[in-house]
Amino acid sequence: MSLSRRQLITAVAVGGTVAAVGMPLGRAGERALDPNEFDSLAARGYNRRFQARPATIYTPTSTEDVRRAVAEAVGADARIAARSGGHCFDDFVDNAQTRSIIDLGRLDAVFWDEHHRAFSIGAGADLGTVYHALHRWGVTVPGGICLGVGMGGHVCGGGYGPLSRRFGLVGDHLAAVEVVTVDADGAARVVVATEGGPDHDLWWAHTGGGGGNFGVVTRFLLRSRDADGADPARALPRPPAAMLNARLILPVTTEDSFVRLLGNYLRFFELHRAPGNEFAGLYAPLMIRTTGTGAAEILILSDADSPGARTRFDEFVAAVSEGVFPPPILTPVAQLSYPDTVNQVYYAKGVNTTRVKVKAAYLRKAYSADQLRIFYRYLTDLAFLGESQLELLPFGGAINAVTADATAMPARDSFMKMLIHASWRLPFDDDRYVRWAREMYRDVHADTGGVPTPNEAYGGSYINYPDPDLADAAWNTSGLPWHAFYYGDNYERLLRVKAAVDPRNVFQHRLSVGRPDW
């Protein structure tokens, strides 16, 4: 099915295919389209700074629908963008160049595929749907904590979350990917790329090479590398039966207590970064909102199954709190089943109403006290009170058990992700907040060109937290091109894959593989 603003019509899908769009009103098989329906789909993106104005929106219900939609858009020379959960932080989908959006929301089926001996997960399924469906077999994927995020973009960037320190990235469990590509003649075709098959490189490119680069993914086939697929209940990781959770809150901080708390926190995870370490079952993201007080909050999630789980939980709290005054407050520790933890503690699906700018870094070493003081000064600036925040997100563990070139995502020796998430409501504040985020990032990384230049301290950045500033010499003065931060030495291979499967460069955006370095 497709929706067209040009004539405000929609063709009714016939026989599971995409019917033609743009025929005169009144032709058989068409109905009048409510303009609000089109506008709602066009505005489904996360970041209110950007608004798509496509001529056509496709809403496929099958892989063949997607193939036909891609063929039609290519034939009309209409730039294509695919949307899964709609959570891209930048304008990869929502920009003036996008003329055709392929909205994958209806491709959300999750089932055991007997032929491929793997779980088939539609690219339009959100994480909440996936976790719920996989629970039938007692398995899960180590995906994100935000339940509304779509699999389509999440997996392509690597995909990580609360169980990744125990089980690795979602991309580490990708056995195959079904994707619609466009050849040199402009023909759209469906490819199922497997790890050991003839399209191995296309499979590899989807284990962290980013979305919107090589084609339109219709489904992922997930199976862990140590599983043979004979038993669905053993094909993916089994989550903990139960998890502990609590929040450690520092309501008001001085600069010294802020530096002490964050320093303790970073040192803890820097120490416990190795695969299989005793704290691999612990995930504790730290968030500091721009309330003017430097208030910090750590959500603590920990595997409750293993012996000594509560002791390790308490050890973490003690290590982070050491020497911090006033001391942080620990909320009551609760123990819930894994499904209840997902439903009650993970972040519920919702609609974002804010304007956003993000900037991120992988850490190989903890930030210095001087760098933490820079964060403090920006976060307590009373001119920026509101919804913006700094997030620190634990990494490492099983993620670091994989070599940098085994998947397209090379950050296999870091222990933390840093995310600046500037957020505001009013369009006239755009320049002010964007500059605030840019200058904080630049000042923290002043010694390495204003960016987290890959070296002994930094591991670059995460393509699912895209930042076009890395391709702007005004904000990246390191001399390294943008792709060095996202893909490192893997970029040359990604370029070869791009040339082979998308020779016409049909799939592109501001940080797409093959775009200019600057």
Side-chain angles (χ1 to χ4, degrees), residues 276-326:
N277 77 81
E278 63 177 325
F279 289 93
L282 174 74
Y283 181 75
L286 184 151
M287 181 186 72
I288 301 162
R289 281 264 176 94
T290 51
T291 61
T293 65
E297 178 177 309
I298 303 174
L299 169 63
I300 311 172
L301 292 167
S302 184
D303 178 352
D305 290 353
S306 57
R310 179 57 195 262
T311 298
R312 285 191 296 276
F313 190 101
D314 293 340
E315 286 178 11
F316 169 73
V317 171
V320 172
S321 303
E322 183 182 0
V324 179
F325 187 84

Side-chain angles (χ1 to χ4, degrees), residues 116-121 141-142 151-152 154-159 167-179 192-196 199-210 217-227 235-237 406-408 412:
H116 291 285
R117 296 161 71 93
F119 285 100
S120 174
I121 299 181
V141 290
M151 288 289 285
H154 189 62
V155 180
C156 292
F167 299 123
L169 302 177
V170 181
D172 295 338
H173 302 270
L174 183 65
V177 59
E178 184 180 84
V179 55
V192 178
T194 63
E195 181 174 1
D199 295 292
H200 169 87
D201 282 352
L202 183 59
W203 161 84
W204 177 86
H206 285 87
T207 61
V217 174
T218 52
R219 64 177 179 142
F220 301 98
L221 291 154
L222 298 182
R223 183 183 64 245
S224 298
R225 290 184 177 180
D226 59 354
L236 286 172
T407 64
R412 301 295 185 159

Side-chain angles (χ1 to χ4, degrees), residues 467-474 476 480-482 510-511 515-518:
D467 178 13
D469 292 346
L470 290 177
D472 184 346
N476 171 10
L480 288 180
W482 65 271
R510 287 212 285 166
L511 291 178
R515 63 143 283 159
D517 286 358
W518 300 101

